[in-house]
Each structure stands twice: as C-alpha cells, then as structure tokens.
C-alpha cells in the first residue's frame, strides 16, 4: 500500500558504491539518483531501481533527479527513465550528456525550487543559480541537495556535496538545514560532513550509502565519529542493505532490509575489519 496522505516513504537502495533513493507519497514517486553503471549491458537502474519500483507497485514516476554526472549516481539513469517514464528530470548535468540521453524534459536543479505532493513538501537547497556560471566548480559541488518535509519531520538528501558547498549552504540557507534524517554527503568521505554542517543539520539518523569493503574506505571512521558525537544513529547500506524509512507526524521509523529479510548467504561479518581478519586467517591456513 502507498503511504497515507502527508506521509513519506523513503528507501535508500543498496546499489554498492553509489546512490539511489526512492521517495514515495500517497500518489507520487520520485527517484533521486540511480546508482552506477557496471558496463555496456548492465547498470543498477536496470537491475535494482526499476525492479524495486515495479515490486513496490510503482508503474511510472512523477519525476526524477540526477544530482550530478559521476557514474555512481548517474550510471543507471537512462534505464530508469526508459523503464519508468518520468515526465521531468531535474539535474545539474549539462544538456547533451550521455547519462541523461533518455531525459524527456530536463531542467536545472536550483536552490529555492520547490513543489508539494500529497501534503509533502520538496525543496532544493543547492546549488545556487550562480554555481552554473562558475567554470571551476567541481561536479560534486553542483550536486542537487533536496529537503523533503512530511508531517513535521524532514530528510535532507545531500548527494556528494563537499565542504565548500556545505559552507555555502551554511551562509545562505542555514535556517533550512535542520532535519531529523540526513543522507550523509559523499558516502562518508573526509571531504564532506564538516562539524559545523553536521551540527546545523543536527540529525537523529545518519544514513550512509556505500559499497561493502569499497576501495575508497567509505565511510571514514573519523567522519562517523562526528555523527556519534551529536547522538545520531548511523545506518549503512554496506552493512544493513537497503534502508527503509517512514516519515510522518508520529516521527521517523527506520528498518534495515537485511534484518527484515535474512538469507543464509548474508555475511555474518559486521564490518570490514572483521572481514580482513577472516581473510588473513584463511590465507594462513594450510590446505
């Protein structure tokens, strides 16, 4: 069943080292990034996002956001657009880029843009219009940052913004940053999650989208510690699988896919350190 009027269902899908989020209201569905492409014939849009939407009863999208051009966010976008036919795409990616070739109508995401679906409010907090005219702005720092508010609770989706963009938001929209839920920017990289930004958002829940044992070492331990210091509960797709959230006037509930749907092939290892220790033990054994 769809969420009730005024409520939000948010799913951070497990697409490995990348990002794909689905936001559902009572009669609308939005995809925020579509995860990576794995090659010429496979991507997470085709293999994860579209199957999830169809299994959830979503037959078409009301809109789609591709935050920036990095493959781990945009690689599955064309497959989602082809399979779910969103009427519009908001993005920071320049027109003509191959990752949005299937876009029906593409517009720029700009701070201040807002809309409402089923008594749920959506608003872009970043990037500012001026960011598109700056030649030396990194793609990460043009990421589309979206705040969704439902029933007095809210979630801030921060894509891959880095500390430069965090400072810009602190200067321009500080009073809008507070949210009960924060999608941790840039997968928990040290280039993001500055102390002042975290304290301004002051989330109760910090969600990390990262691949299991990814080569970047995301999320970084010192970054996670910053969230622990403010008392935020941390959830990670690399350990928990997809993260399933409901936001309403009653508050926020978070469920972990791997806790809800246990399978015998799920690793009992809780973190990469334990996995490394197991590898060392195996390599030391005599066969």
């Amino acid at each position: 069943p769809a969420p009730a009027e005024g409520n939000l269902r948010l799913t951070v899908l497990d697409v490995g080292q990348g990002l794909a989020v689905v936001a559902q209201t009572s009669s609308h569905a939005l995809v925020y990034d579509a995860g990576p492409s794995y090659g010429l014939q496979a991507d997470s849009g085709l293999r994860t996002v579209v199957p999830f939407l169809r299994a959830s009863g979503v037959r078409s999208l009301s809109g789609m956001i591709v935050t920036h051009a990095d493959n781990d966010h945009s690689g599955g976008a064309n497959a989602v657009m082809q399979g779910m036919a969103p009427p519009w795409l908001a993005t920071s990616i320049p027109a003509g880029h191959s990752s949005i070739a299937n876009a029906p109508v593409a517009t720029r995401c700009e701070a201040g843009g807002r809309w409402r679906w089923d008594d749920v409010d959506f608003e872009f907090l970043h990037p500012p219009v001026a960011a598109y005219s700056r030649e030396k702005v990194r793609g990460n720092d043009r990421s589309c940052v979206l705040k969704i508010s439902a029933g007095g609770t809210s979630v801030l989706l921060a894509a891959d913004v880095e500390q430069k963009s965090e400072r810009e938001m602190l200067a321009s929209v500080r009073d809008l940053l507070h949210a009960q839920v924060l999608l941790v920017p840039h997968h928990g990289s040290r280039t993001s999650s500055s102390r002042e930004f975290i304290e301004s958002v002051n989330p109760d829940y910090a969600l990390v989208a990262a691949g299991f044992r990814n080569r970047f070492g995301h999320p970084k331990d010192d970054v996670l510690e910053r969230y622990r210091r403010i008392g935020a509960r941390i959830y990670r797709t690399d350990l928990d699988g997809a993260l399933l959230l409901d936001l309403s006037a009653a508050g926020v509930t978070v469920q972990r896919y791997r806790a809800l749907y246990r399978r015998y092939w799920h690793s009992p290892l809780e973190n990469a350190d334990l996995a490394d220790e197991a590898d060392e033990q195996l390599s030391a054994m005599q066969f």
Side-chain angles (χ1 to χ4, degrees):
E5 183 84 6
N7 292 356
L8 174 72
R9 179 174 301 141
L10 190 83
T11 306
V12 182
L13 293 169
D14 178 8
V15 292
Q17 183 63 16
L19 178 65
V21 180
V22 176
Q24 295 172 263
T25 66
S26 62
S27 62
H28 295 275
L30 172 80
V31 165
Y32 178 93
D33 280 341
S37 170
Y38 308 123
L40 295 177
Q41 296 182 334
D43 60 65
S44 55
L46 182 65
R47 293 196 171 185
T48 304
V49 182
V50 171
F52 171 80
L53 290 167
R54 289 176 175 163
S56 302
V58 176
R59 295 292 173 261
S60 62
L61 292 173
S62 298
M64 184 170 176
I65 298 167
V66 181
T67 61
H68 62 300
D70 285 358
N71 174 66
D72 58 330
H73 294 250
S74 67
N78 279 318
V80 174
M81 286 184 278
Q82 185 173 14
M84 303 306 296
W88 55 262
L89 169 75
T91 184
S92 66
I93 301 174
H97 195 282
S98 60
S99 65
I100 56 171
N102 289 338
V105 176
T107 60
R108 294 194 312 198
C109 49
E110 297 175 351
R114 60 175 64 91
W115 68 97
R116 169 174 275 209
W117 287 336
D118 306 319
D119 284 337
V120 176
D121 293 308
F122 299 74
E123 181 174 5
F124 285 121
L125 302 187
H126 189 78
V129 176
Y132 291 99
S133 60
R134 300 176 195 154
E135 294 182 1
K136 295 184 179 180
V137 175
R138 288 167 52 89
N140 284 351
D141 280 319
R142 283 202 185 104
S143 291
C144 307
V145 176
L146 180 69
K147 185 175 184 179
I148 311 176
S149 302
T153 58
S154 55
V155 56
L156 186 65
L157 304 176
D160 272 4
V161 291
E162 300 188 359
Q163 292 189 22
K164 177 182 178 182
S165 293
E166 292 175 358
R167 290 192 295 270
E168 287 183 355
M169 287 188 283
L170 287 166
S172 60
V173 292
R174 182 188 291 261
D175 58 334
L176 299 177
L177 288 176
H178 174 63
Q180 285 73 29
V181 181
L182 172 64
L183 180 67
V184 171
H186 204 185
H187 317 286
S189 164
R190 289 196 182 102
T191 62
S192 307
S193 295
S194 62
R195 181 186 56 79
E196 190 175 5
F197 179 76
I198 293 172
E199 291 176 353
S200 292
V201 179
N202 194 28
D204 299 316
Y205 304 93
L207 314 180
V208 180
F212 183 64
R213 304 185 70 187
N214 65 83
R215 64 190 177 95
F216 305 103
H218 295 158
K220 298 296 186 180
D221 289 340
D222 52 333
V223 172
L224 295 179
E225 185 58 29
R226 294 175 206 162
Y227 288 97
R228 293 190 187 101
R229 285 185 194 132
I230 65 163
R233 298 184 63 180
I234 299 169
Y235 294 89
R236 300 167 49 169
T237 60
D238 58 337
L239 302 181
D240 300 317
L243 306 175
L244 319 171
L245 290 82
D246 287 291
L247 285 75
S248 67
V252 179
T253 62
V254 184
Q255 294 179 301
R256 300 168 296 151
Y257 184 88
R258 289 181 63 169
L260 287 173
Y261 304 99
R262 292 187 179 276
R263 298 292 187 268
Y264 70 87
W265 57 81
H266 286 167
S267 170
L269 302 176
E270 291 298 323
N271 57 52
D273 291 336
L274 288 177
D276 289 338
E277 182 180 338
D279 285 347
E280 290 174 3
Q281 291 173 353
L282 282 171
S283 63
M285 294 175 70
Q286 298 295 321
F287 292 96

